[in-house]
Amino acid sequence: MSKLTDISYVRAVLSKHGFTFSKALGQNFLVNPSVCPKMAQMCGCGENTGAIEIGPGAGVLTAELARTAYKVVAVELDKRLLPVLEETLAGYDNVKVINADAMKLDFVKLIREEFGGGEVVICANLPYYITSPVIMRLLEERLPVNSLTVMVQKEAAERICAEPGTRESGAISAAVHYYSEPELLFKVSAGSFLPAPKVDSAVIRLNILKSPPVDISDEGMFFRVVKAAFSQRRKTLANSLSSGLSMPKAQVSALLKDAGIKENARAEEMTMQDFAKITEMF
Ligand code: SAM
């Protein structure tokens, strides 16, 4: 068992370095000993596959990834954690910690410089305040990675993995399904973290697709349509698209009719193929 899941050890190291948890940075550190080994095993890193971690915190997942992957690059925004990580990861010579903001870092450059053309996966317990923007940023950049294995809040995990066309789906489901095949791997209770958050979490893996599941001539338009469609969940698709895309309702209704979509349809009933059809019509 990793000593980084021993609460008294973690508390002692953090307090030695004068560290206090920042809610704003989504700092809830994993202390459940079964979670990180499972994440490291299921994310697909190994002897020939490197790993990038976002937000190593005190290094509990980093250490597990370092035992499995030939190399780990961990990106941490909070400078106060650098001396902590130096101490907790002292035994691993295949880990590099970079002090940067995952929302701004050039991941394409990082992958080229740190991993050459080799296989890479991303594995992280994401800070909840940037879950969707980080996931979308990593997907949209079409990074040369095999998969993204991330821990997110349980509700976010369910939404992300929901198949477009089902009641649970949202704009993020359609966007994620455009780039990847998402899979909910396992749930993690709130009590697995220090400090414990209010809600449970889940680990999901987004297996990157070689090509999108639908043929679209204008990707920008596809994402505008999806965003507009879900902008007002209680309204019909025609109303949401009309206000989201600033188009007269009658014109939207006529286009939907031509696409074979019923008058009172709602965004959550639309499959990826439906969104593609609407995009082409518009
Ligand atoms: N991986 C650790 C674990 O599982 O115990 C910590 C996970 S904690 C939920 C999120 C981590 O992300 C924190 O260490 C936090 O400082 C870091 N973080 C927050 N915002 C970030 C950003 N924009 N870029 C990089 N790291 C960030």
Side-chain angles (χ1 to χ4, degrees):
M1 190 176 91
S2 165
K3 61 184 180 176
L4 285 161
T5 54
D6 173 346
I7 297 184
S8 28
Y9 170 76
V10 177
R11 280 197 198 282
V13 176
L14 294 178
S15 94
K16 180 175 154 192
H17 293 279
F19 177 85
T20 49
F21 290 96
S22 156
K23 227 177 164 176
L25 288 178
Q27 290 175 341
N28 301 94
F29 294 176
L30 269 165
V31 286
N32 177 334
S34 71
V35 177
C36 293
K38 237 156 111 180
M39 281 183 80
Q41 189 240 319
M42 295 177 97
C43 75
C45 66
E47 262 174 34
N48 301 311
T49 307
I52 296 175
E53 184 190 4
I54 293 169
V60 65
L61 176 60
T62 329
E64 225 43 71
L65 291 170
R67 286 194 190 112
T68 319
Y70 78 91
K71 179 174 182 177
V72 182
V73 175
V75 180
E76 175 56 59
L77 175 63
D78 191 345
K79 268 201 178 78
R80 300 173 308 151
L81 285 166
L82 301 185
V84 173
L85 287 163
E86 212 163 293
E87 177 168 345
T88 59
L89 299 174
Y92 301 95
D93 58 8
N94 59 342
V95 177
K96 180 168 180 177
V97 176
I98 294 178
N99 180 216
D101 182 345
M103 285 303 293
K104 297 189 185 140
L105 185 67
D106 184 344
F107 280 97
V108 175
K109 184 161 164 251
L110 178 138
I111 292 171
R112 193 178 53 238
E113 288 176 356
E114 300 294 341
F115 298 98
E119 303 275 304
V120 190
V121 295
I122 295 180
C123 186
N125 171 12
L126 287 180
Y128 73 94
Y129 77 105
I130 44 166
T131 301
S132 301
V134 164
I135 291 178
M136 283 319 299
R137 174 155 197 252
L138 299 173
L139 290 174
E140 279 165 7
E141 292 201 348
R142 290 200 158 89
L143 301 175
V145 300
N146 301 341
S147 60
L148 266 61
T149 301
V150 288
M151 165 121 51
V152 299
Q153 289 190 347
K154 190 166 79 72
E155 286 68 26
E158 286 164 351
R159 179 76 91 198
I160 289 168
C161 295
E163 194 67 42
T166 63
R167 239 166 65 101
E168 299 72 28
S169 66
I172 184 90
S173 330
V176 166
H177 278 81
Y178 184 75
Y179 296 105
S180 70
E181 208 176 67
E183 234 182 305
L184 202 151
L185 299 181
F186 59 94
K187 297 187 179 162
V188 180
S189 67
S192 302
F193 301 87
L194 179 74
K198 287 200 178 68
V199 295
D200 291 338
S201 295
V203 177
I204 58 176
R205 186 174 58 217
L206 312 182
N207 302 308
I208 304 298
L209 295 170
K210 296 237 177 320
S211 55
V214 283
D215 259 341
I216 284 151
S217 42
D218 183 348
E219 268 183 13
M221 188 63 193
F222 175 79
F223 288 104
R224 277 175 59 208
V225 164
V226 168
K227 205 169 151 205
F230 285 102
S231 59
Q232 291 159 300
R233 276 187 89 88
R234 286 206 202 98
K235 291 199 173 174
T236 62
L237 180 66
N239 277 322
S240 307
L241 288 175
S242 161
S243 60
L245 298 173
S246 309
M247 281 169 73
K249 169 87 186 294
Q251 194 186 349
V252 172
S253 299
L255 287 170
L256 289 180
K257 197 171 166 212
D258 289 347
I261 290 162
K262 65 180 197 289
E263 172 83 33
N264 58 349
R266 290 184 182 269
E268 61 265 30
E269 296 171 61
M270 296 298 106
T271 62
M272 291 298 279
Q273 285 69 25
D274 292 328
F275 280 124
K277 239 192 298 176
I278 298 171
T279 304
E280 294 311 306
M281 296 303 290
F282 277 49

Short mmCIF file of all heavy atoms in Angstrom, two decimals, residues 141-204:
data_model
loop_
_atom_site.label_atom_id
_atom_site.label_comp_id
_atom_site.label_asym_id
_atom_site.label_seq_id
_atom_site.Cartn_x
_atom_site.Cartn_y
_atom_site.Cartn_z
N GLU A 141 -7.84 19.56 -29.37
CA GLU A 141 -6.49 19.73 -29.91
C GLU A 141 -6.02 18.49 -30.66
O GLU A 141 -4.94 18.48 -31.23
CB GLU A 141 -5.52 20.08 -28.79
CG GLU A 141 -5.82 21.45 -28.25
CD GLU A 141 -4.66 22.07 -27.52
OE1 GLU A 141 -3.69 21.39 -27.21
OE2 GLU A 141 -4.78 23.28 -27.24
N ARG A 142 -6.81 17.43 -30.62
CA ARG A 142 -6.47 16.17 -31.31
C ARG A 142 -5.04 15.75 -30.97
O ARG A 142 -4.20 15.51 -31.86
CB ARG A 142 -6.66 16.32 -32.81
CG ARG A 142 -8.13 16.44 -33.20
CD ARG A 142 -8.31 16.09 -34.66
NE ARG A 142 -9.68 15.70 -34.95
CZ ARG A 142 -10.66 16.54 -35.30
NH1 ARG A 142 -10.43 17.83 -35.35
NH2 ARG A 142 -11.86 16.09 -35.57
N LEU A 143 -4.78 15.67 -29.67
CA LEU A 143 -3.45 15.30 -29.21
C LEU A 143 -3.14 13.87 -29.64
O LEU A 143 -4.05 13.03 -29.69
CB LEU A 143 -3.38 15.41 -27.68
CG LEU A 143 -3.69 16.78 -27.09
CD1 LEU A 143 -3.70 16.71 -25.58
CD2 LEU A 143 -2.67 17.80 -27.57
N PRO A 144 -1.89 13.58 -29.92
CA PRO A 144 -1.54 12.21 -30.29
C PRO A 144 -1.48 11.30 -29.05
O PRO A 144 -0.42 10.82 -28.64
CB PRO A 144 -0.17 12.37 -30.94
CG PRO A 144 0.40 13.60 -30.30
CD PRO A 144 -0.74 14.49 -29.95
N VAL A 145 -2.64 11.10 -28.43
CA VAL A 145 -2.71 10.22 -27.25
C VAL A 145 -3.76 9.12 -27.51
O VAL A 145 -4.66 9.32 -28.31
CB VAL A 145 -3.08 10.99 -25.95
CG1 VAL A 145 -2.06 12.05 -25.63
CG2 VAL A 145 -4.47 11.61 -26.03
N ASN A 146 -3.60 7.98 -26.84
CA ASN A 146 -4.53 6.86 -27.06
C ASN A 146 -5.85 7.07 -26.32
O ASN A 146 -6.91 6.70 -26.80
CB ASN A 146 -3.93 5.55 -26.54
CG ASN A 146 -2.62 5.24 -27.22
OD1 ASN A 146 -2.33 5.78 -28.29
ND2 ASN A 146 -1.81 4.39 -26.61
N SER A 147 -5.74 7.63 -25.12
CA SER A 147 -6.95 7.75 -24.30
C SER A 147 -6.76 8.78 -23.20
O SER A 147 -5.63 9.16 -22.87
CB SER A 147 -7.30 6.40 -23.66
OG SER A 147 -6.22 5.99 -22.85
N LEU A 148 -7.88 9.20 -22.63
CA LEU A 148 -7.90 10.10 -21.46
C LEU A 148 -8.64 9.35 -20.37
O LEU A 148 -9.82 9.03 -20.56
CB LEU A 148 -8.74 11.33 -21.79
CG LEU A 148 -8.14 12.62 -22.32
CD1 LEU A 148 -7.47 12.37 -23.64
CD2 LEU A 148 -9.21 13.67 -22.47
N THR A 149 -7.97 9.04 -19.26
CA THR A 149 -8.65 8.39 -18.15
C THR A 149 -8.73 9.43 -17.04
O THR A 149 -7.70 9.88 -16.54
CB THR A 149 -7.88 7.15 -17.67
OG1 THR A 149 -7.78 6.26 -18.78
CG2 THR A 149 -8.60 6.45 -16.52
N VAL A 150 -9.94 9.87 -16.72
CA VAL A 150 -10.06 10.95 -15.76
C VAL A 150 -11.13 10.68 -14.70
O VAL A 150 -12.15 10.06 -14.97
CB VAL A 150 -10.38 12.31 -16.46
CG1 VAL A 150 -9.16 12.82 -17.21
CG2 VAL A 150 -11.56 12.20 -17.39
N MET A 151 -10.81 11.16 -13.50
CA MET A 151 -11.79 11.11 -12.43
C MET A 151 -12.51 12.44 -12.41
O MET A 151 -11.87 13.51 -12.42
CB MET A 151 -11.07 10.90 -11.10
CG MET A 151 -11.92 11.18 -9.91
SD MET A 151 -12.09 9.81 -8.83
CE MET A 151 -10.46 9.29 -8.54
N VAL A 152 -13.84 12.38 -12.42
CA VAL A 152 -14.66 13.60 -12.41
C VAL A 152 -15.83 13.37 -11.45
O VAL A 152 -16.04 12.24 -11.00
CB VAL A 152 -15.19 13.95 -13.83
CG1 VAL A 152 -14.05 14.19 -14.80
CG2 VAL A 152 -16.08 12.85 -14.38
N GLN A 153 -16.62 14.40 -11.19
CA GLN A 153 -17.79 14.21 -10.33
C GLN A 153 -18.72 13.21 -11.02
O GLN A 153 -18.82 13.19 -12.26
CB GLN A 153 -18.49 15.54 -10.12
CG GLN A 153 -17.68 16.46 -9.23
CD GLN A 153 -18.44 17.70 -8.77
OE1 GLN A 153 -19.50 18.01 -9.30
NE2 GLN A 153 -17.89 18.38 -7.81
N LYS A 154 -19.43 12.40 -10.19
CA LYS A 154 -20.23 11.30 -10.74
C LYS A 154 -21.25 11.79 -11.77
O LYS A 154 -21.41 11.20 -12.83
CB LYS A 154 -20.94 10.57 -9.59
CG LYS A 154 -21.61 9.28 -10.03
CD LYS A 154 -21.99 8.43 -8.87
CE LYS A 154 -23.20 8.80 -8.17
NZ LYS A 154 -24.50 8.77 -8.36
N GLU A 155 -21.92 12.91 -11.47
CA GLU A 155 -22.95 13.42 -12.40
C GLU A 155 -22.31 13.83 -13.73
O GLU A 155 -22.88 13.59 -14.79
CB GLU A 155 -23.70 14.63 -11.80
CG GLU A 155 -24.69 14.28 -10.71
CD GLU A 155 -24.03 13.78 -9.43
OE1 GLU A 155 -22.85 14.14 -9.19
OE2 GLU A 155 -24.68 13.02 -8.68
N ALA A 156 -21.13 14.42 -13.64
CA ALA A 156 -20.43 14.83 -14.87
C ALA A 156 -20.05 13.59 -15.68
O ALA A 156 -20.18 13.55 -16.90
CB ALA A 156 -19.19 15.65 -14.53
N ALA A 157 -19.61 12.54 -14.97
CA ALA A 157 -19.21 11.29 -15.64
C ALA A 157 -20.40 10.70 -16.39
O ALA A 157 -20.28 10.28 -17.54
CB ALA A 157 -18.69 10.30 -14.61
N GLU A 158 -21.56 10.71 -15.73
CA GLU A 158 -22.75 10.12 -16.35
C GLU A 158 -23.18 10.92 -17.57
O GLU A 158 -23.56 10.37 -18.59
CB GLU A 158 -23.87 10.00 -15.31
CG GLU A 158 -23.57 8.87 -14.34
CD GLU A 158 -24.40 8.90 -13.07
OE1 GLU A 158 -25.13 9.90 -12.83
OE2 GLU A 158 -24.31 7.93 -12.30
N ARG A 159 -23.09 12.23 -17.45
CA ARG A 159 -23.47 13.11 -18.56
C ARG A 159 -22.52 12.92 -19.73
O ARG A 159 -22.93 12.79 -20.88
CB ARG A 159 -23.43 14.57 -18.06
CG ARG A 159 -23.77 15.58 -19.09
CD ARG A 159 -25.24 15.69 -19.42
NE ARG A 159 -25.93 16.66 -18.60
CZ ARG A 159 -27.24 16.71 -18.45
NH1 ARG A 159 -28.01 15.81 -19.03
NH2 ARG A 159 -27.81 17.62 -17.72
N ILE A 160 -21.21 12.90 -19.44
CA ILE A 160 -20.21 12.77 -20.50
C ILE A 160 -20.38 11.44 -21.25
O ILE A 160 -20.29 11.39 -22.47
CB ILE A 160 -18.77 12.88 -19.90
CG1 ILE A 160 -18.50 14.32 -19.46
CG2 ILE A 160 -17.72 12.39 -20.88
CD1 ILE A 160 -17.26 14.50 -18.60
N CYS A 161 -20.65 10.38 -20.49
CA CYS A 161 -20.72 9.05 -21.12
C CYS A 161 -22.08 8.75 -21.74
O CYS A 161 -22.22 7.78 -22.50
CB CYS A 161 -20.39 7.96 -20.09
SG CYS A 161 -18.68 8.09 -19.52
N ALA A 162 -23.11 9.57 -21.44
CA ALA A 162 -24.45 9.30 -21.98
C ALA A 162 -24.44 9.32 -23.50
O ALA A 162 -23.86 10.22 -24.12
CB ALA A 162 -25.43 10.34 -21.45
N GLU A 163 -25.06 8.34 -24.09
CA GLU A 163 -25.15 8.24 -25.55
C GLU A 163 -26.04 9.37 -26.06
O GLU A 163 -27.16 9.55 -25.57
CB GLU A 163 -25.77 6.88 -25.87
CG GLU A 163 -25.66 6.43 -27.30
CD GLU A 163 -24.23 6.14 -27.74
OE1 GLU A 163 -23.46 5.52 -26.96
OE2 GLU A 163 -23.91 6.56 -28.86
N PRO A 164 -25.59 10.17 -27.05
CA PRO A 164 -26.48 11.19 -27.61
C PRO A 164 -27.77 10.54 -28.12
O PRO A 164 -27.73 9.45 -28.72
CB PRO A 164 -25.65 11.77 -28.76
CG PRO A 164 -24.24 11.54 -28.34
CD PRO A 164 -24.23 10.23 -27.61
N GLY A 165 -28.90 11.17 -27.82
CA GLY A 165 -30.18 10.58 -28.19
C GLY A 165 -30.89 9.98 -26.99
O GLY A 165 -32.03 9.56 -27.07
N THR A 166 -30.20 9.97 -25.83
CA THR A 166 -30.83 9.46 -24.60
C THR A 166 -31.09 10.64 -23.65
O THR A 166 -30.44 11.68 -23.76
CB THR A 166 -29.94 8.42 -23.88
OG1 THR A 166 -28.72 9.08 -23.48
CG2 THR A 166 -29.60 7.26 -24.79
N ARG A 167 -32.02 10.42 -22.73
CA ARG A 167 -32.46 11.48 -21.82
C ARG A 167 -31.34 12.13 -21.02
O ARG A 167 -31.38 13.31 -20.69
CB ARG A 167 -33.48 10.88 -20.84
CG ARG A 167 -34.83 11.56 -20.87
CD ARG A 167 -35.83 10.69 -20.14
NE ARG A 167 -35.49 10.59 -18.72
CZ ARG A 167 -36.09 11.28 -17.78
NH1 ARG A 167 -37.06 12.11 -18.09
NH2 ARG A 167 -35.74 11.15 -16.52
N GLU A 168 -30.32 11.33 -20.67
CA GLU A 168 -29.22 11.83 -19.83
C GLU A 168 -28.22 12.67 -20.62
O GLU A 168 -27.33 13.28 -20.05
CB GLU A 168 -28.45 10.66 -19.19
CG GLU A 168 -29.27 9.76 -18.26
CD GLU A 168 -30.25 8.87 -19.02
OE1 GLU A 168 -29.98 8.55 -20.19
OE2 GLU A 168 -31.31 8.54 -18.44
N SER A 169 -28.34 12.68 -21.96
CA SER A 169 -27.31 13.32 -22.77
C SER A 169 -27.39 14.85 -22.73
O SER A 169 -28.44 15.42 -22.45
CB SER A 169 -27.39 12.83 -24.21
OG SER A 169 -28.59 13.26 -24.80
N GLY A 170 -26.27 15.48 -23.02
CA GLY A 170 -26.19 16.94 -23.07
C GLY A 170 -25.18 17.33 -24.14
O GLY A 170 -24.65 16.45 -24.85
N ALA A 171 -24.88 18.63 -24.23
CA ALA A 171 -23.94 19.10 -25.26
C ALA A 171 -22.58 18.40 -25.10
O ALA A 171 -21.96 18.00 -26.08
CB ALA A 171 -23.77 20.61 -25.14
N ILE A 172 -22.17 18.20 -23.84
CA ILE A 172 -20.85 17.58 -23.61
C ILE A 172 -20.84 16.12 -24.10
O ILE A 172 -19.82 15.64 -24.59
CB ILE A 172 -20.43 17.71 -22.11
CG1 ILE A 172 -19.01 17.16 -21.85
CG2 ILE A 172 -21.37 16.96 -21.17
CD1 ILE A 172 -17.93 18.16 -22.00
N SER A 173 -22.00 15.43 -24.01
CA SER A 173 -22.04 14.03 -24.48
C SER A 173 -21.77 13.98 -25.98
O SER A 173 -20.97 13.17 -26.45
CB SER A 173 -23.40 13.37 -24.21
OG SER A 173 -24.04 13.89 -23.09
N ALA A 174 -22.46 14.85 -26.72
CA ALA A 174 -22.29 14.86 -28.17
C ALA A 174 -20.86 15.28 -28.54
O ALA A 174 -20.24 14.67 -29.42
CB ALA A 174 -23.30 15.80 -28.81
N ALA A 175 -20.34 16.30 -27.85
CA ALA A 175 -18.99 16.78 -28.16
C ALA A 175 -17.96 15.68 -27.90
O ALA A 175 -17.08 15.42 -28.72
CB ALA A 175 -18.67 18.02 -27.33
N VAL A 176 -18.08 15.00 -26.75
CA VAL A 176 -17.12 13.95 -26.39
C VAL A 176 -17.23 12.77 -27.36
O VAL A 176 -16.22 12.20 -27.79
CB VAL A 176 -17.33 13.52 -24.91
CG1 VAL A 176 -16.60 12.21 -24.62
CG2 VAL A 176 -16.83 14.61 -23.98
N HIS A 177 -18.48 12.40 -27.71
CA HIS A 177 -18.66 11.27 -28.64
C HIS A 177 -18.15 11.58 -30.05
O HIS A 177 -17.99 10.67 -30.85
CB HIS A 177 -20.15 10.87 -28.71
CG HIS A 177 -20.57 9.98 -27.57
ND1 HIS A 177 -20.88 10.46 -26.33
CD2 HIS A 177 -20.71 8.64 -27.50
CE1 HIS A 177 -21.21 9.45 -25.54
NE2 HIS A 177 -21.11 8.33 -26.22
N TYR A 178 -17.94 12.84 -30.36
CA TYR A 178 -17.41 13.20 -31.68
C TYR A 178 -15.93 12.79 -31.79
O TYR A 178 -15.45 12.42 -32.85
CB TYR A 178 -17.56 14.71 -31.91
CG TYR A 178 -17.12 15.14 -33.28
CD1 TYR A 178 -17.93 14.88 -34.39
CD2 TYR A 178 -15.91 15.79 -33.48
CE1 TYR A 178 -17.52 15.27 -35.67
CE2 TYR A 178 -15.50 16.19 -34.75
CZ TYR A 178 -16.31 15.91 -35.84
OH TYR A 178 -15.92 16.28 -37.10
N TYR A 179 -15.23 12.88 -30.64
CA TYR A 179 -13.79 12.59 -30.65
C TYR A 179 -13.43 11.23 -30.07
O TYR A 179 -12.31 10.76 -30.26
CB TYR A 179 -13.05 13.64 -29.81
CG TYR A 179 -13.15 15.04 -30.35
CD1 TYR A 179 -13.97 15.99 -29.74
CD2 TYR A 179 -12.40 15.42 -31.46
CE1 TYR A 179 -14.04 17.29 -30.22
CE2 TYR A 179 -12.47 16.72 -31.95
CZ TYR A 179 -13.28 17.64 -31.33
OH TYR A 179 -13.35 18.92 -31.82
N SER A 180 -14.33 10.66 -29.26
CA SER A 180 -13.92 9.47 -28.51
C SER A 180 -15.08 8.54 -28.21
O SER A 180 -16.24 8.89 -28.41
CB SER A 180 -13.30 9.92 -27.18
OG SER A 180 -14.32 10.45 -26.34
N GLU A 181 -14.70 7.38 -27.68
CA GLU A 181 -15.70 6.43 -27.20
C GLU A 181 -15.57 6.42 -25.68
O GLU A 181 -14.60 5.88 -25.15
CB GLU A 181 -15.34 5.06 -27.77
CG GLU A 181 -16.51 4.13 -27.96
CD GLU A 181 -16.02 2.87 -28.61
OE1 GLU A 181 -15.26 2.15 -27.97
OE2 GLU A 181 -16.39 2.65 -29.76
N PRO A 182 -16.50 7.10 -24.99
CA PRO A 182 -16.34 7.17 -23.53
C PRO A 182 -16.88 5.93 -22.81
O PRO A 182 -17.83 5.30 -23.29
CB PRO A 182 -17.16 8.40 -23.16
CG PRO A 182 -18.14 8.58 -24.25
CD PRO A 182 -17.61 7.89 -25.48
N GLU A 183 -16.25 5.63 -21.69
CA GLU A 183 -16.62 4.44 -20.92
C GLU A 183 -16.56 4.80 -19.43
O GLU A 183 -15.56 5.40 -19.00
CB GLU A 183 -15.49 3.43 -21.12
CG GLU A 183 -15.85 2.07 -21.61
CD GLU A 183 -14.56 1.25 -21.69
OE1 GLU A 183 -13.61 1.72 -22.37
OE2 GLU A 183 -14.50 0.20 -21.07
N LEU A 184 -17.60 4.49 -18.68
CA LEU A 184 -17.55 4.72 -17.24
C LEU A 184 -16.89 3.49 -16.61
O LEU A 184 -17.40 2.38 -16.75
CB LEU A 184 -18.97 4.94 -16.69
CG LEU A 184 -19.07 5.67 -15.37
CD1 LEU A 184 -20.38 6.43 -15.25
CD2 LEU A 184 -18.89 4.77 -14.18
N LEU A 185 -15.73 3.67 -15.97
CA LEU A 185 -14.98 2.51 -15.46
C LEU A 185 -15.43 2.09 -14.07
O LEU A 185 -15.74 0.95 -13.84
CB LEU A 185 -13.47 2.81 -15.46
CG LEU A 185 -12.83 3.12 -16.81
CD1 LEU A 185 -11.33 3.38 -16.64
CD2 LEU A 185 -13.04 1.97 -17.80
N PHE A 186 -15.43 3.03 -13.12
CA PHE A 186 -15.90 2.69 -11.77
C PHE A 186 -16.19 3.95 -10.97
O PHE A 186 -15.70 5.03 -11.31
CB PHE A 186 -14.90 1.79 -11.03
CG PHE A 186 -13.51 2.37 -10.85
CD1 PHE A 186 -13.15 3.06 -9.71
CD2 PHE A 186 -12.54 2.20 -11.86
CE1 PHE A 186 -11.87 3.58 -9.55
CE2 PHE A 186 -11.25 2.73 -11.71
CZ PHE A 186 -10.92 3.40 -10.55
N LYS A 187 -17.02 3.78 -9.94
CA LYS A 187 -17.40 4.93 -9.11
C LYS A 187 -16.50 5.01 -7.87
O LYS A 187 -15.97 3.99 -7.43
CB LYS A 187 -18.87 4.80 -8.72
CG LYS A 187 -19.75 4.85 -9.96
CD LYS A 187 -21.22 4.91 -9.67
CE LYS A 187 -21.93 4.97 -11.03
NZ LYS A 187 -23.31 4.64 -10.99
N VAL A 188 -16.37 6.20 -7.36
CA VAL A 188 -15.50 6.43 -6.19
C VAL A 188 -16.28 7.28 -5.19
O VAL A 188 -16.78 8.35 -5.54
CB VAL A 188 -14.20 7.16 -6.63
CG1 VAL A 188 -13.30 7.41 -5.44
CG2 VAL A 188 -13.46 6.37 -7.70
N SER A 189 -16.37 6.79 -3.94
CA SER A 189 -17.18 7.52 -2.96
C SER A 189 -16.48 8.77 -2.46
O SER A 189 -15.24 8.87 -2.48
CB SER A 189 -17.49 6.60 -1.78
OG SER A 189 -16.29 6.35 -1.10
N ALA A 190 -17.29 9.73 -2.00
CA ALA A 190 -16.75 11.01 -1.52
C ALA A 190 -15.74 10.81 -0.39
O ALA A 190 -14.78 11.56 -0.25
CB ALA A 190 -17.90 11.91 -1.07
N GLY A 191 -15.96 9.75 0.41
CA GLY A 191 -15.08 9.49 1.55
C GLY A 191 -13.68 9.03 1.14
O GLY A 191 -12.81 8.84 2.00
N SER A 192 -13.43 8.87 -0.15
CA SER A 192 -12.11 8.43 -0.63
C SER A 192 -11.11 9.58 -0.71
O SER A 192 -9.97 9.38 -1.11
CB SER A 192 -12.24 7.82 -2.03
OG SER A 192 -13.14 6.76 -2.03
N PHE A 193 -11.59 10.81 -0.39
CA PHE A 193 -10.73 11.99 -0.57
C PHE A 193 -10.47 12.73 0.74
O PHE A 193 -11.27 12.66 1.67
CB PHE A 193 -11.42 12.98 -1.52
CG PHE A 193 -11.72 12.42 -2.89
CD1 PHE A 193 -12.90 11.73 -3.13
CD2 PHE A 193 -10.82 12.58 -3.93
CE1 PHE A 193 -13.18 11.21 -4.38
CE2 PHE A 193 -11.10 12.07 -5.18
CZ PHE A 193 -12.29 11.38 -5.41
N LEU A 194 -9.38 13.47 0.74
CA LEU A 194 -9.04 14.35 1.85
C LEU A 194 -8.88 15.76 1.29
O LEU A 194 -8.00 15.97 0.45
CB LEU A 194 -7.72 13.88 2.49
CG LEU A 194 -7.21 14.71 3.67
CD1 LEU A 194 -8.04 14.45 4.90
CD2 LEU A 194 -5.74 14.40 3.91
N PRO A 195 -9.64 16.75 1.68
CA PRO A 195 -10.90 16.63 2.45
C PRO A 195 -11.98 16.00 1.57
O PRO A 195 -11.86 16.05 0.34
CB PRO A 195 -11.23 18.10 2.78
CG PRO A 195 -10.56 18.89 1.70
CD PRO A 195 -9.34 18.13 1.27
N ALA A 196 -13.02 15.43 2.22
CA ALA A 196 -14.08 14.77 1.45
C ALA A 196 -14.97 15.81 0.78
O ALA A 196 -15.43 16.75 1.43
CB ALA A 196 -14.91 13.90 2.38
N PRO A 197 -15.18 15.70 -0.53
CA PRO A 197 -16.10 16.64 -1.20
C PRO A 197 -17.55 16.27 -0.86
O PRO A 197 -17.78 15.26 -0.20
CB PRO A 197 -15.80 16.41 -2.69
CG PRO A 197 -15.25 15.03 -2.76
CD PRO A 197 -14.62 14.70 -1.44
N LYS A 198 -18.50 17.05 -1.38
CA LYS A 198 -19.91 16.79 -1.04
C LYS A 198 -20.49 15.67 -1.90
O LYS A 198 -21.47 15.07 -1.54
CB LYS A 198 -20.74 18.06 -1.25
CG LYS A 198 -20.47 19.09 -0.18
CD LYS A 198 -21.62 20.09 -0.10
CE LYS A 198 -21.40 21.11 0.99
NZ LYS A 198 -20.27 22.02 0.70
N VAL A 199 -19.88 15.44 -3.07
CA VAL A 199 -20.47 14.47 -4.00
C VAL A 199 -19.50 13.35 -4.35
O VAL A 199 -18.29 13.49 -4.17
CB VAL A 199 -20.92 15.17 -5.31
CG1 VAL A 199 -22.04 16.16 -5.06
CG2 VAL A 199 -19.73 15.87 -5.97
N ASP A 200 -20.08 12.24 -4.83
CA ASP A 200 -19.26 11.10 -5.25
C ASP A 200 -18.61 11.40 -6.60
O ASP A 200 -19.00 12.33 -7.30
CB ASP A 200 -20.13 9.85 -5.38
CG ASP A 200 -20.61 9.37 -4.01
OD1 ASP A 200 -19.97 9.72 -3.00
OD2 ASP A 200 -21.63 8.66 -3.96
N SER A 201 -17.64 10.59 -6.96
CA SER A 201 -16.93 10.77 -8.23
C SER A 201 -16.99 9.48 -9.04
O SER A 201 -17.52 8.46 -8.57
CB SER A 201 -15.46 11.10 -7.97
OG SER A 201 -15.36 12.34 -7.34
N ALA A 202 -16.44 9.52 -10.24
CA ALA A 202 -16.35 8.32 -11.06
C ALA A 202 -15.16 8.46 -12.00
O ALA A 202 -14.76 9.58 -12.35
CB ALA A 202 -17.62 8.11 -11.87
N VAL A 203 -14.58 7.33 -12.36
CA VAL A 203 -13.46 7.35 -13.31
C VAL A 203 -13.99 6.94 -14.68
O VAL A 203 -14.69 5.93 -14.80
CB VAL A 203 -12.34 6.38 -12.86
CG1 VAL A 203 -11.21 6.35 -13.89
CG2 VAL A 203 -11.80 6.78 -11.49
N ILE A 204 -13.68 7.76 -15.67
CA ILE A 204 -14.11 7.45 -17.04
C ILE A 204 -12.89 7.36 -17.94
O ILE A 204 -11.85 7.95 -17.64
CB ILE A 204 -15.09 8.53 -17.59
CG1 ILE A 204 -14.44 9.92 -17.58
CG2 ILE A 204 -16.39 8.55 -16.80
CD1 ILE A 204 -15.29 11.01 -18.20
#
